[in-house]
Amino acid sequence: MPAIHDLQRHFPVITTMNILIAVTATLGTLMLNPVFAQNVQPDQQQNKATTFQYSYEAGLVLDDNVSRAKYQADIQDDSIASFSIGVKSTTPLSDYTRLVLGGRVEAEKYESFGQLDNFKYFVDLKYQFAFGSAFSSPTYALKFSLGGIESKSDIRTSETANFGFGINKWLTTTINLSSAYSMKVREADTEVFDTREHQIMVNLDVDITPRQLIYLTYHFIDGDVVSSATPKPSTYGIARVNEPDDAFNGLTTNQVAYRIDARSQVFTVGYNAAVNRQLSVDISYRTIDSQATESDQVYYDRGIIRASVLGRF
């Protein structure tokens, strides 16, 4: 599946400024920590030294198509337990600019397909800036990230690089809009998972109470997709490269991983609630529709339910 920048809402509305903590995610994350200048006067910002923040997330995922296949005979579902921990430092550079350096590690454990178990690590650098401290002033960000994936599946172990920019703006006191563009490069131990992609994201957060919000997110992704399935002429004809997939027993079960060029549309709807100042819960449902660019006969659909506990210390 294409990597997705997730908005991790650790503490959605636990301050009077409705600050959202945004951290780079798995299937990835947004490059903004929204509205850092909001309701903060320049002289207050200027006196702030570098600060550190630590966060974690424990989640359970139900994925109805981990193989990213089209036909029912090839579709495999699974449940995944995940845990991540991150740290970031924030350094004000001027009245309306700051530098954020972050790092995160994440582990995923699959119930049925153990070869998909993996460990991920990321380091990212973000430059954030605004042109004013008014409530409605947009916040902008440039981000560069490096990371890696260590997987039990040999063909999936890889290194990643990501560059992007984004904008965040409060439309009202309860509605927040974010948008972002990113480009991701993945270099794997085998060619089938050497991927490139471009991604556009739009997200809307709506506070429904002082401690609860709902969110809607849309991603458009143009680039490489890897699907694992039984060999078929329609797929062979457009696959850039293919290889037996060791996560699904490879040639033993006649499962082959194909890399194809595709366009994907991803819709997410979620609910986030703050339990206290250090803890929140998040529930979301995501649909993914990927269509090969060279054939309308090659596509897959996928649904993902995720429940998470997010905290900071």
Side-chain angles (χ1 to χ4, degrees):
M1 146 183 175
I4 296 174
H5 292 291
D6 286 313
L7 290 169
Q8 293 188 345
R9 298 164 179 82
H10 291 262
F11 321 106
V13 279
I14 58 175
T15 70
T16 57
M17 293 186 292
N18 294 332
I19 296 178
L20 309 181
I21 306 301
V23 182
T24 303
T26 141
L27 268 167
T29 51
L30 180 67
M31 53 209 66
L32 298 177
N33 185 346
V35 195
F36 70 88
Q38 177 187 320
N39 292 348
V40 179
Q41 298 302 317
D43 59 340
Q44 293 175 312
Q45 268 194 358
Q46 205 166 27
N47 293 331
K48 288 187 177 180
T50 298
T51 58
F52 292 87
Q53 186 172 80
Y54 305 88
S55 61
Y56 64 88
E57 177 182 359
L60 178 63
V61 177
L62 302 178
D63 189 330
D64 67 8
N65 191 359
V66 294
S67 51
R68 297 139 194 159
K70 172 183 177 180
Y71 296 103
Q72 190 62 42
D74 297 317
I75 292 175
Q76 305 288 352
D77 59 68
D78 208 346
S79 59
I80 306 107
S82 66
F83 182 79
S84 66
I85 187 168
V87 59
K88 70 175 182 179
S89 66
T90 302
T91 304
L93 302 178
S94 68
D95 289 350
Y96 303 116
T97 63
R98 68 179 182 181
L99 198 64
V100 181
L101 178 64
R104 182 173 61 88
V105 295
E106 177 181 0
E108 291 183 324
K109 177 68 176 177
Y110 286 71
E111 181 179 12
S112 300
F113 298 97
Q115 286 297 106
L116 292 175
D117 293 353
N118 64 83
F119 176 80
K120 303 174 185 177
Y121 53 92
F122 303 95
V123 175
D124 63 88
L125 180 67
K126 291 182 284 188
Y127 174 71
Q128 300 176 317
F129 59 98
F131 297 104
S133 59
F135 179 86
S136 60
S137 295
T139 303
Y140 305 89
L142 300 173
K143 189 190 86 166
F144 178 72
S145 175
L146 293 174
I149 304 170
E150 295 293 332
S151 175
K152 286 187 177 180
S153 169
D154 293 336
I155 64 175
R156 287 170 170 79
T157 295
S158 53
E159 297 176 344
T160 63
N162 191 338
F163 170 78
F165 57 86
I167 181 173
N168 181 279
K169 178 178 174 62
W170 287 94
L171 303 180
T172 71
T173 57
T174 59
I175 301 176
N176 181 267
L177 178 67
S178 299
S179 61
Y181 162 81
S182 65
M183 176 181 67
K184 182 178 180 180
V185 177
R186 178 176 178 179
E187 295 290 341
D189 288 351
T190 55
E191 191 177 356
V192 69
F193 276 94
D194 286 347
T195 60
R196 308 287 186 276
E197 66 181 47
H198 299 270
Q199 178 181 152
I200 296 173
M201 184 278 297
V202 179
N203 177 82
L204 190 69
D205 288 344
V206 180
D207 295 350
I208 53 178
T209 75
R211 287 181 173 267
Q212 301 175 80
L213 63 80
I214 57 174
Y215 55 92
L216 300 171
T217 310
Y218 170 75
H219 295 82
F220 175 78
I221 305 171
D222 186 5
D224 296 314
V225 168
V226 179
S227 175
S228 298
T230 304
K232 294 177 177 63
S234 60
T235 309
Y236 263 127
I238 64 172
R240 298 177 182 272
V241 64
N242 62 81
E243 185 165 335
D245 195 336
D246 56 355
F248 302 102
N249 297 319
L251 295 178
T252 303
T253 55
N254 203 23
Q255 293 294 297
V256 176
Y258 301 91
R259 192 185 79 204
I260 59 176
D261 184 67
R263 292 189 176 96
S264 302
Q265 298 192 72
V266 185
F267 295 90
T268 305
V269 57
Y271 166 79
N272 188 281
V275 178
N276 54 44
R277 296 187 65 85
Q278 285 76 40
L279 194 68
S280 74
V281 294
D282 192 284
I283 301 173
S284 66
Y285 176 69
R286 170 174 292 166
T287 63
I288 302 170
D289 178 16
S290 289
Q291 173 72 58
T293 58
E294 299 177 25
S295 171
D296 58 7
Q297 300 300 311
V298 180
Y299 60 87
Y300 76 83
D301 300 311
R302 189 179 182 191
I304 300 173
I305 300 173
R306 184 179 185 92
S308 301
V309 175
L310 307 104
R312 65 179 177 185
F313 57 93

